[in-house]
Amino acid sequence: MTQDIKQPSKEVGVKLKGEAKTARIPIKIVQLDERIKKPDWIRVQAPSLNGRFGEIKQILRNQKLHTVCEEAACPNIGECFGKGTATFMIMGDICTRRCPFCDVGHGRPNPLDAQEPVHLGETIAALKLKYVVITSVDRDDLRDGGAQHFVDCIMQSRLQSPNTQIEVLVPDFRGRLDIALDLFKQALPDVLNHNLETAPRLYKQARPGSDYQHSLDLLKNFKAMYPDVRTKSGIMVGLGETDEEVIQVMHDLRAHDVDMITIGQYLQPTATGHLPVLRYVHPDQFKAFEKFAYEIGFKHAAVGAMVRSSYHADEQAHGAGV
């Protein structure tokens, strides 16, 4: 049965992707008459299904776990899986938001799996991971936005693998911020990450349902409540922002006490169901962004075409003194 993209299903557990997902966003996607050719400096090696990559995929399936590496079609999946690292995506693989840059599916999520924190802890221990990133889909259907589930996952991970450092990449908990942040006092991560994704001018088209200032407040309020925890955020370039807007976002993050930043090139997941790439930023400009990040006080800056929020997250954290 073909899904009608004009009338997306309201059935729980049905995941909409591509054009079916973005059919109802407020600002419609307009593709370029001719796609910009990908430059020579952006090349990704296809992952091998052998060795560590295949082993991790099998363990994840056995434990019924998801990774954002797979769901968001991250270009670095082969390298990260190959060296035994992964970013775990909790609370299912169906998001309540419809961001048109993202390849994660949209719909009405299934109920939370109460055993997921235990399975996650078991998997981290089985893989003998030294550093993990735990992220999630947006769960606007939950009273706390999923904050307690994050805390449960941190607690189980620390219980079963006490030497593993933990970074959480959280949604914005919009409308639930005070409740959500207070819950983290039960179990704190080593790094709290929340991505701004893009410049505020582009929020309506790139992050419908989100708010730039709210995301900045999340980062600042968390730091104020838990000053010993490093905070981190990231943005993509190539969605139509200017270099000046990138600089302003960096200033805004430092003004809200953020310690670490990532800046990477946006790559369009599908030809018609996602926002087009409007520019490929040259490596020299990435170097200029990195230099400026350190000049204004970031403790660590991971900046480059293939950089993603969780890419080499362990090295980023150690560079910031975690």
Side-chain angles (χ1 to χ4, degrees), residues 205-231:
Q205 67 190 67
R207 291 194 73 194
S210 302
D211 180 83
Y212 182 77
Q213 186 58 53
H214 173 86
S215 287
L216 287 172
D217 290 343
L218 184 160
L219 290 158
K220 186 168 186 176
N221 292 352
F222 187 94
K223 189 69 170 181
M225 294 174 70
Y226 313 110
D228 293 334
V229 179
R230 290 282 192 254
T231 51

Side-chain angles (χ1 to χ4, degrees), residues 18-20 22 28-31 35 100 268-276:
E19 291 178 277
T22 58
K28 300 307 178 186
I29 296 172
V30 178
Q31 299 297 338
R35 296 180 70 178
Q268 187 174 353
T270 64
T272 58
H274 294 85
L275 294 170

Side-chain angles (χ1 to χ4, degrees), residues 103-140:
D103 204 33
V104 175
H106 164 78
R108 294 182 62 188
N110 292 304
L112 292 179
D113 177 2
Q115 293 303 307
E116 183 174 52
V118 174
H119 293 159
L120 177 61
E122 290 173 348
T123 300
I124 291 170
L127 292 173
K128 298 181 174 61
L129 300 178
K130 295 181 180 179
Y131 194 99
V132 298
V133 180
I134 304 171
T135 190
S136 78
V137 292
D138 275 285
R139 290 298 301 259
D140 296 314

Side-chain angles (χ1 to χ4, degrees), residues 133 167 169 193-195 232-234 262 307-313 316:
V133 180
E167 176 177 326
L169 172 53
N193 186 356
H194 174 65
N195 286 332
K232 175 179 172 183
S233 188
T262 60
V307 167
R308 295 298 180 267
S309 183
S310 303
Y311 183 53
H312 292 176
Q316 296 174 34

